[in-house]
Amino acid sequence: MATLNSIKNMYGICSHVIRQTTGLRAAKLIQQRAFRVNGALRQQPFDSSEEKPQFPGASAEFIDHLEFIQPNVISGIPVYRVMDRAGKIINPSEDPQLSKEQVLNFYQKMTLLNTMDRILYESQRQGRISFYMTNYGEEGTHIGSAAALDPRDLVFGQYREAGVLMYRGFPLDLFMAQCYANVDDLGKGRQMPVHYGSKDLNFVTISSPLATQIPQAAGAAYAAKRENTNRAVICYFGEGAASEGDAHAGFNFSATLECPLIFFCRNNGYAISTPTNEQYRGDGIGKTGSTLFCLGSRQLAFNLNNRSVCVRCEPRILCRAVAENQPFLIEAMTHRIGHHSTSDDSSAYRSVDEVNYWDKQDHPISRLRHYMTARSWWSEEDERSWRKQSRKMVMEAFEKAEKRHKPHPDLMFSDVYEEMTPNLVKQKEAMWRHVQQYKEHYPLDAYAK
Amino acid sequence: TDTSTRATMAAAARFLLRGAGLKASIANVNIGDQSLFGITLLRLSPNCSSQTKTQRRNAAHFSYHPDPVPTEYGPTTKMNLFQSVTSALDNTLASDPTAVIFGEDVAFGGVFRCTVGLRDKYGKDRVFNTPLCEQGIVGFGIGAAVAGATAIAEIQFADYIYPAFDQIVNEAAKYRYRSGNLFDCGNLTIRAPWGCVGHGSLYHSQSPEAFFAHCPGIKVVIPRGPVQCKGLLLSCIADQNPCIFFEPKILYRAAVEQVPTEAYTIPLSQAEVIQEGSDVTLVAWGTQIHVLREVANMAQEKLGVSCELIDLQTILPWDTETVCKSVAKTGRLLISHEAPITGGFAAEISSTVQEECFLNLEAPIARVCGYDTPFPHIFEPFYIPDKWKCFDAVKKLISY
């Protein structure tokens, strides 16, 4: 017992030093232990008949006075960054040392996404597509995290992660086909725009209900673990979606069932009009995760506006997720520069100055451009010609998509079940009998025959 | 969901098991010497018999009649309904290495004993407890199915399936359709104990099938006894669509019959004509089949009326053809279910038959269902659509 107490005393004394080198979870444990020892020192330095709590629900010491654990929201989990706003690496030992080709590829994918966003946003304003959601300000989170993944890793997303697909090589034609819901759409024109999916690229089809993908990702990661193929699963969601019950479910299941899973929260400050102070009162989502379940020793909020950060750190976490069958949470602090969607005018609930700051002074694209320019990897001329080329590529895909027919109306009835049920066969036939009789009232010409 | 009541039910289930001295083994299931015919819950619960009359639970409102011994699927063993579930799960885990079973308290065998022995036989990575969270269980099951595993999720009571309603209706049911068949969760089966149990009150008695019947993309299946249970459950598991399989919990112990030990399937979306007749068609599913079977006998004896009894088995997509064919012959239809009448699945059957068989119908279609109230505790005998209510409806149908 004496040994035990001296160890505890040592913890108390060394806790400061240890906290410097150990992960936050461990630090928190030590903090509590140190706290207990200090309390004991004040009242009773030594007690050989000390009782240990035997409760099955937690492993902890007794304390003999009432003290609430205060959440520290003033000084929260620090935001990890590798380069500053001017694209300068802050700590050389954290420099990911990416090759020129890699960085150019990241930059081009981010800007291509940006160009596509601008054109599709405008096309919605002109009524050419019914709906759109841009990715302004969050391009870095997509490309950076996607670059850290193995292409076989299964992606579950929310809807603002088009850059992940862009990075994996999803063709512009297919982005457009989905938004236009034309015959080329892999989803057969059934879902609203930006609800992308690709079996070949292991990107699970997006659905509108928020956070439903979170426990699903846990299930998929569990299945991947049993397959034993070293595949991980990544699951993206916004900080608003993290308030859903399904987020709680997914975090908890992934921890208790030991799933190789990366939770990637895009904390962009808003859920439509709702600012984060109306979304949660803790220290962001990272802390929510740490109080709900043990994510392991490394919990960091990443400033992924600094894109290369992600590439620096995520492979490490991914490797651990796979090797240790443990979920990890990355909270990427960012800002939603665009409107929530084309059905939203964000000037109704936030200032133009705020948006301008993020757009002009702290944007993932401009930051990476500074980084490239400083290394003479990118010139004004390169920028101009790439802008022109990417715009041309997007416009070509756009015009091509617009000209295509919509899918055959029969496709309204298939895939409800794997097989076509007799009931659906009857309803399909009834629809055609009706449409043939009243064909002048239906837009048949726009659809494939 | 209410942990305390569930814990109580779980404890009761465990106590009953010990009290009855039942030992379930997966490979070879023995029931003991309980009578084959008309077994009631009361008789199976030895701890009840010592109690005074006023404290006794209500006697079962039906008598179970075993099906004829199936001969086409090889050797059979006497099983009750929970054992036939275990047998189906056992066959699945043995033949499909991706199959996993999970839910609340399934690891030790389940509060209704449906998963007894499976964890020991197949490993803790294949039969495991989840946190107590229904939306998580179904979401997790969908994800496992999307990734290619056969996922068999258990919801402890059908009454607690609603927290997962979003995952079932918005996600599971629409996965294949919305992705253009790129992704699906067809390998997901959700099992849940279902129906009244004599004393289950509001949250251990519900029959929520009609809520799901309004949802294209899922299948909803309910067996009436151990043979159907195993065959239909194996069909659900094999089916390439997400299925909800409701197990009438009052039959878990009460229904005993010879069940094939090897795997076999009974087709989904096919009703079964259990008894042929010429004057009235009776349609039900689950436990209510046994109520209507008695009603058919009573009608024959007391009124000289010949009833055709149909077990619908699959609620969605349901077998309109078998039902309509029968009504075209008999000209009269009675549908009965435990669930409340308004918005119940009988309404769907009734309006479809009315459309399809208008010229054959000789009386308005009768629906004998639960009342439009929550499922009550002490008033259960007055609430359920028992044989007397159904018998009276037959009488009125005939004399219309």
Side-chain angles (χ1 to χ4, degrees):
Chain A
M1 197 50 77
T3 328
L4 192 76
N5 262 286
S6 67
I7 290 170
K8 277 179 200 151
N9 279 324
M10 220 171 73
Y11 268 129
I13 296 155
C14 300
S15 70
H16 180 72
V17 184
I18 292 167
R19 230 178 300 158
Q20 307 273 306
T21 51
T22 322
L24 286 173
R25 160 85 179 169
K28 195 177 158 198
L29 275 177
I30 292 161
Q31 222 170 349
Q32 280 166 359
R33 261 183 223 163
F35 179 73
R36 189 224 148 263
V37 171
N38 290 341
L41 281 174
R42 234 186 1 254
Q43 289 175 18
Q44 212 170 11
F46 181 75
D47 180 8
S48 60
S49 64
E50 186 190 41
E51 286 182 326
K52 295 271 291 174
Q54 301 296 329
F55 307 110
S59 163
E61 304 286 322
F62 284 122
I63 62 167
D64 57 9
H65 62 280
L66 183 62
E67 171 108 14
F68 292 104
I69 297 170
Q70 298 296 337
N72 187 357
V73 291
I74 309 295
S75 173
I77 302 174
V79 178
Y80 176 80
R81 67 173 181 165
V82 169
M83 62 167 110
D84 65 16
R85 275 186 250 163
K88 188 169 167 289
I89 299 286
I90 296 160
N91 177 356
S93 67
E94 297 285 304
D95 186 346
Q97 309 280 3
L98 300 169
S99 71
K100 182 182 170 186
E101 288 67 35
Q102 279 175 299
V103 174
L104 289 186
N105 181 33
F106 299 159
Y107 184 77
Q108 291 186 338
K109 291 282 161 62
M110 284 162 73
T111 45
L112 185 60
L113 174 63
N114 189 263
T115 305
M116 184 179 85
D117 275 350
R118 286 175 202 283
I119 287 167
L120 285 177
Y121 182 83
E122 286 309 318
S123 87
Q124 194 284 332
R125 297 281 99 168
Q126 295 166 14
R128 296 160 93 159
I129 61 173
S130 63
F131 178 78
Y132 195 69
M133 300 177 106
T134 64
N135 302 280
Y136 301 149
E138 299 184 55
E139 295 89 343
T141 62
H142 308 175
I143 304 294
S145 58
L149 298 169
D150 185 294
R152 296 177 311 133
D153 293 335
L154 196 57
V155 179
F156 285 81
Q158 180 165 308
Y159 46 60
R160 214 182 295 282
E161 295 91 9
V164 176
L165 270 174
M166 187 71 86
Y167 184 83
R168 288 193 171 188
F170 198 58
L172 284 173
D173 285 340
L174 290 181
F175 279 113
M176 300 289 173
Q178 201 283 329
C179 290
Y180 270 102
N182 67 25
V183 281
D184 300 326
D185 176 20
L186 301 173
K188 304 179 187 171
R190 290 167 183 155
Q191 289 211 87
M192 282 173 76
V194 311
H195 290 55
Y196 309 115
S198 169
K199 182 85 178 166
D200 294 342
L201 302 177
N202 296 306
F203 189 100
V204 178
T205 302
I206 299 296
S207 73
S208 307
L210 285 184
T212 48
Q213 80 278 14
I214 300 175
Q216 291 173 15
Y222 189 87
K225 176 173 82 166
R226 287 204 66 241
E227 266 180 15
N228 204 15
T229 50
N230 281 332
R231 272 173 93 186
V233 173
I234 188 163
C235 177
Y236 295 90
F237 53 95
E239 90 288 346
S243 297
E244 293 282 0
D246 277 328
H248 181 103
F251 295 163
N252 203 14
F253 276 54
S254 64
T256 60
L257 298 170
E258 298 169 356
C259 304
L261 174 57
I262 316 289
F263 291 113
F264 193 106
C265 177
R266 297 175 292 99
N267 189 334
N268 64 16
Y270 292 92
I272 305 186
S273 72
T274 307
T276 52
N277 70 334
E278 292 171 19
Q279 202 64 247
Y280 54 76
R281 282 296 162 97
D283 172 25
I285 306 303
K287 216 43 164 304
T288 312
S290 70
T291 51
L292 273 177
F293 65 112
C294 172
L295 279 171
S297 61
R298 224 180 143 80
Q299 289 152 3
L300 294 168
F302 287 64
N303 181 349
L304 287 168
N305 275 353
N306 178 338
R307 201 226 74 264
S308 70
V309 163
C310 205
V311 186
R312 172 74 181 84
C313 290
E314 225 193 319
R316 258 196 315 207
I317 292 180
L318 252 185
C319 290
R320 293 195 56 182
V322 173
E324 297 175 17
N325 287 323
Q326 204 181 355
F328 287 84
L329 173 65
I330 297 171
E331 181 180 15
M333 305 309 295
T334 176
H335 188 273
R336 196 195 78 213
I337 292 173
H339 301 302
H340 165 71
S341 73
T342 49
S343 309
D344 170 54
D345 172 11
S346 66
S347 67
Y349 51 81
R350 62 182 189 182
S351 76
V352 178
D353 289 348
E354 177 191 335
V355 175
N356 274 342
Y357 165 77
W358 291 100
D359 194 21
K360 309 289 180 233
Q361 294 178 52
D362 201 355
H363 197 287
I365 290 179
S366 62
R367 187 188 300 228
L368 192 65
R369 199 174 148 198
H370 288 312
Y371 175 86
M372 291 154 64
T373 311
R375 276 154 192 74
S376 305
W377 290 352
W378 198 251
S379 65
E380 279 297 325
E381 177 50 34
D382 292 332
E383 179 71 15
R384 264 196 303 278
S385 85
W386 170 244
R387 288 273 167 192
K388 208 174 146 192
Q389 188 193 340
S390 59
R391 195 177 157 76
K392 187 164 170 268
M393 285 157 58
V394 173
M395 284 310 295
E396 274 171 12
F398 173 81
E399 280 161 13
K400 189 172 148 201
E402 200 162 42
K403 288 190 193 112
R404 302 286 282 156
H405 276 101
K406 305 294 177 205
H408 194 283
D410 272 0
L411 291 174
M412 181 164 74
F413 295 96
S414 57
D415 303 329
V416 176
Y417 293 94
E418 189 209 23
E419 68 281 6
M420 183 78 88
T421 62
N423 184 41
L424 283 172
V425 172
K426 258 175 80 174
Q427 291 179 15
K428 186 172 81 175
E429 287 164 357
M431 183 201 80
W432 280 119
R433 275 195 303 276
H434 172 82
V435 169
Q436 289 307 328
Q437 200 181 341
Y438 292 88
K439 43 169 147 332
E440 66 276 23
H441 301 296
Y442 293 91
L444 279 168
D445 289 346
Y447 290 78
K449 288 183 182 66
Chain B
T1 55
D2 181 347
T3 354
S4 65
T5 42
R6 282 198 289 180
T8 314
M9 292 293 283
R14 281 195 286 272
F15 182 75
L16 276 174
L17 187 80
R18 286 194 204 107
L22 259 176
K23 235 184 179 168
S25 86
I26 309 155
N28 189 11
V29 176
N30 289 307
I31 299 301
D33 269 330
Q34 283 128 355
S35 93
L36 267 179
F37 295 91
I39 292 176
T40 65
L41 256 197
L42 189 61
R43 275 183 230 155
L44 267 175
S45 312
N47 58 327
C48 291
S49 57
S50 61
Q51 292 172 347
T52 63
K53 195 170 181 179
T54 49
Q55 284 176 320
R56 273 183 197 166
R57 291 169 183 167
N58 303 311
H61 63 288
F62 65 95
S63 299
Y64 185 77
H65 293 268
D67 263 27
V69 180
T71 51
E72 61 269 45
Y73 308 117
T76 61
T77 308
K78 201 190 277 179
M79 295 184 202
N80 64 22
L81 193 123
F82 83 64
Q83 290 160 331
S84 80
V85 171
T86 315
S87 177
L89 298 177
D90 187 19
N91 293 147
T92 303
L93 290 168
S95 64
D96 177 356
T98 72
V100 287
I101 295 169
F102 51 89
E104 295 158 13
D105 305 302
V106 300
F108 87 106
V111 298
F112 287 109
R113 320 311 293 149
C114 292
T115 51
V116 166
L118 296 176
R119 184 181 176 92
D120 289 341
K121 195 167 173 187
Y122 295 101
K124 60 184 171 44
D125 67 319
R126 302 190 64 191
V127 181
F128 51 90
N129 290 338
T130 64
L132 207 158
C133 176
E134 285 75 14
Q135 64 201 97
I137 292 169
V138 174
F140 182 90
I142 293 170
V146 167
T150 297
I152 305 165
E154 178 180 303
I155 298 295
Q156 203 160 64
F157 287 85
D159 312 61
Y160 303 128
I161 205 167
Y162 307 114
F165 202 69
D166 184 42
Q167 285 283 357
I168 294 170
V169 173
N170 275 331
E171 294 292 316
K174 298 173 174 53
Y175 231 95
R176 188 189 297 276
Y177 187 79
R178 74 182 185 208
S179 69
N181 205 16
L182 294 180
F183 296 93
D184 70 82
C185 60
N187 288 333
L188 170 68
T189 302
I190 302 164
R191 302 171 35 241
W194 166 98
C196 77
V197 70
H199 52 277
S201 181
L202 284 80
Y203 308 111
H204 301 86
S205 307
Q206 291 182 43
S207 304
E209 63 272 17
F211 287 112
F212 297 101
H214 196 55
C215 176
I218 50 170
K219 296 192 176 181
V220 182
V221 180
I222 307 173
R224 70 170 184 276
V227 170
Q228 286 71 34
C229 183
K230 182 173 173 180
L232 289 168
L233 179 54
L234 284 169
S235 289
C236 283
I237 293 168
D239 194 87
Q240 283 307 297
N241 298 287
C243 295
I244 301 178
F245 189 75
F246 286 127
E247 296 159 5
K249 59 182 160 302
I250 201 167
L251 300 178
Y252 272 141
R253 290 157 189 286
V256 183
E257 63 196 14
Q258 289 290 327
V259 179
T261 48
E262 291 306 309
Y264 61 97
T265 55
I266 294 174
L268 304 183
S269 294
Q270 274 188 30
E272 184 185 344
V273 180
I274 297 174
Q275 184 179 309
E276 295 205 5
S278 54
D279 299 329
V280 185
T281 300
L282 308 179
V283 174
W285 48 91
T287 321
Q288 198 63 11
I289 281 293
H290 307 298
V291 174
L292 289 190
R293 197 198 301 261
E294 255 183 282
V295 171
N297 293 340
M298 286 159 68
Q300 188 68 61
E301 282 166 24
K302 295 180 200 286
L303 311 169
V305 168
S306 160
C307 293
E308 181 146 304
L309 178 60
I310 298 179
D311 180 2
L312 195 65
Q313 295 189 142
T314 301
I315 307 302
L316 186 76
W318 68 288
D319 182 358
T320 47
E321 201 186 323
T322 301
V323 174
C324 290
K325 208 173 124 194
S326 173
V327 178
K329 177 176 75 175
T330 62
R332 293 178 182 85
L333 173 62
L334 180 152
I335 313 153
S336 182
H337 57 61
E338 283 175 19
I341 188 162
T342 302
F345 197 65
E348 180 61 36
I349 299 173
S350 171
S351 66
T352 303
V353 169
Q354 189 268 141
E355 275 173 30
E356 300 287 327
C357 310
F358 189 70
L359 294 176
N360 307 97
L361 283 171
E362 290 170 35
I365 296 166
R367 291 184 289 157
V368 184
C369 307
Y371 300 113
D372 289 337
T373 68
F375 201 105
H377 185 215
I378 206 65
F379 310 120
E380 180 166 325
F382 302 99
Y383 177 85
I384 52 174
D386 65 6
K387 62 184 175 189
W388 297 108
K389 291 177 186 169
C390 294
F391 175 71
D392 187 55
V394 171
K395 237 162 63 173
K396 285 174 179 152
L397 268 178
I398 291 299
S399 58
Y400 183 80

